């Protein structure tokens, strides 16, 4: 992976993390860095899942891939928030 691919994964991960956090109702007690980390992981996993289903490369916008990524980010935000709340 080239440096441009890594930088774009980070930027897309930030956006996916923020969107995933916005989808979750209520207040989350996780910080910005955790949101970014969850977004990056969700973006990478979502891309892999979309590629596995064969919906990663389409002629137009990759709506299914984005939906998978945002759903994974929302699940990650909820899991991390609940995990930190138990401490």
């Amino acid at each position: 992976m080239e440096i441009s691919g890594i930088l774009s994964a980070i930027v897309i991960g930030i956006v996916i993390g923020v969107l995933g956090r916005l989808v979750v109702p209520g207040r989350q007690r996780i910080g910005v860095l955790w949101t970014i980390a969850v977004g990056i992981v969700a973006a990478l996993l979502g891309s892999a899942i979309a590629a596995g289903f064969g919906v990663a490369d389409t002629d137009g916008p990759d709506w299914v891939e984005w939906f998978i990524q945002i759903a994974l980010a929302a699940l990650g935000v909820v899991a991390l928030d609940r995990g930190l709340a138990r401490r």
Side-chain angles (χ1 to χ4, degrees):
M1 183 177 271
E2 297 178 10
I3 190 71
S4 62
I6 294 171
L7 291 176
S8 64
I10 291 171
V11 171
I12 291 169
I14 291 170
V15 172
I16 294 297
V18 170
L19 289 174
R21 191 169 178 163
L22 287 174
V23 169
V24 177
R27 184 177 186 275
Q28 295 84 38
R29 294 171 295 274
I30 64 172
V32 174
L33 293 177
W34 281 114
T35 302
I36 292 170
V38 167
I40 291 170
V41 170
L44 294 173
L45 284 175
S47 293
I49 292 171
F53 284 125
V55 295
D57 294 322
T58 60
D59 292 334
D62 298 328
W63 296 110
V64 175
E65 183 178 8
W66 291 352
F67 176 75
I68 293 169
Q69 291 171 337
I70 293 169
L72 287 174
L75 288 173
V77 166
V78 168
L80 189 60
D81 183 45
R82 290 191 179 167
L84 292 176
R86 291 183 183 176
R87 284 181 155 184

